[in-house]
Amino acid sequence: MKNTTPIVLVLFIVLLTLSTGCRKDISSAVLEKHEATYPDIRKKYIYQSLIRLANVNRDPNFEKLIKDVEKIVLYLPPREDSTYQIKTVKSGMQEDGYELLIEGRTSDNMRMSLWVKEVASHSHYVALMDAEEDDIILEVDGQINIEYLMAIQMADQELLKGLIDQGF
């Protein structure tokens, strides 16, 4: 019994260290409800390596913007559902504890907004793109270095749009 006590103590310390060091996933009740409403929603995952392709000018600020982003999860409209809307997501963001960071319109009249929710020492970012034809939700897995947000303008917008549209 004397020999097992140090082993159990070491295992306990290792497990405690691992459990506190692991990032707890931040869930979004509003996104979970949205997925339940639209079970045929299509998800697409865009990893950092693909996002970097849009940095054709090799802008260092763009690299700083995405350096802690592992991937972006796109929630795309169900193929056969003409009633798909993200208005309920937008109205539920504040109720779910999100704060609106930026909101605006693009030249083609698409409404865009970026939301953040702080949980523990982590930020969870969700972007909403409300367009005439398709509404898209972007969920960031990782951290955005928000001070470099304007660097997104330096990215190849057509390439970014192509990444979103690719395969759909």
Side-chain angles (χ1 to χ4, degrees):
M1 197 68 164
K2 289 183 179 182
N3 290 341
T4 59
T5 305
I7 294 171
V8 170
L9 184 60
V10 169
L11 283 174
F12 176 76
I13 291 171
V14 168
L15 287 174
L16 182 64
T17 304
L18 287 174
S19 66
T20 57
C22 294
R23 188 184 118 187
K24 182 182 176 190
D25 288 333
I26 301 172
S27 64
S28 170
V30 69
L31 289 180
E32 289 172 8
K33 184 177 177 182
H34 186 69
E35 282 187 274
T37 303
Y38 298 101
D40 293 332
I41 199 165
R42 299 173 292 145
K43 285 187 179 180
K44 182 175 184 180
Y45 301 88
I46 300 178
Y47 292 89
Q48 187 188 73
S49 56
L50 281 176
I51 298 168
R52 285 178 188 234
L53 291 176
N55 190 11
V56 293
N57 296 328
R58 307 278 189 253
D59 180 19
N61 288 338
F62 185 83
E63 291 296 322
K64 291 174 186 174
L65 173 70
I66 65 165
K67 81 175 187 153
D68 297 320
V69 172
E70 290 184 37
K71 69 179 176 284
I72 295 177
V73 182
L74 299 173
Y75 295 79
L76 300 165
R79 293 188 200 282
E80 303 299 324
D81 189 349
S82 62
T83 65
Y84 180 79
Q85 291 287 315
I86 61 171
K87 290 178 183 177
T88 56
V89 174
K90 187 174 181 178
S91 63
M93 294 301 282
Q94 282 185 315
E95 294 171 17
D96 199 11
Y98 285 86
E99 178 184 343
L100 179 64
L101 289 178
I102 299 170
E103 189 170 45
R105 289 188 181 268
T106 63
S107 59
D108 59 353
N109 211 22
M110 178 189 299
R111 287 177 286 189
M112 298 179 69
S113 57
L114 179 62
W115 299 78
V116 65
K117 180 179 183 178
E118 302 292 334
V119 177
S121 62
H122 298 286
S123 302
H124 184 236
Y125 295 94
V126 175
L128 305 176
M129 300 169 62
D130 189 356
E132 187 89 14
E133 293 180 22
D134 288 328
D135 293 348
I136 300 172
I137 301 168
L138 293 92
E139 181 180 25
V140 177
D141 181 5
Q143 299 294 300
I144 297 174
N145 295 309
I146 202 76
E147 62 271 19
Y148 299 104
L149 189 60
M150 295 310 292
I152 196 79
Q153 294 176 340
M154 296 303 293
D156 184 331
Q157 301 299 319
E158 290 302 312
L159 182 59
L160 284 174
K161 187 175 183 321
L163 290 173
I164 292 172
D165 294 337
Q166 180 183 14
F168 294 98

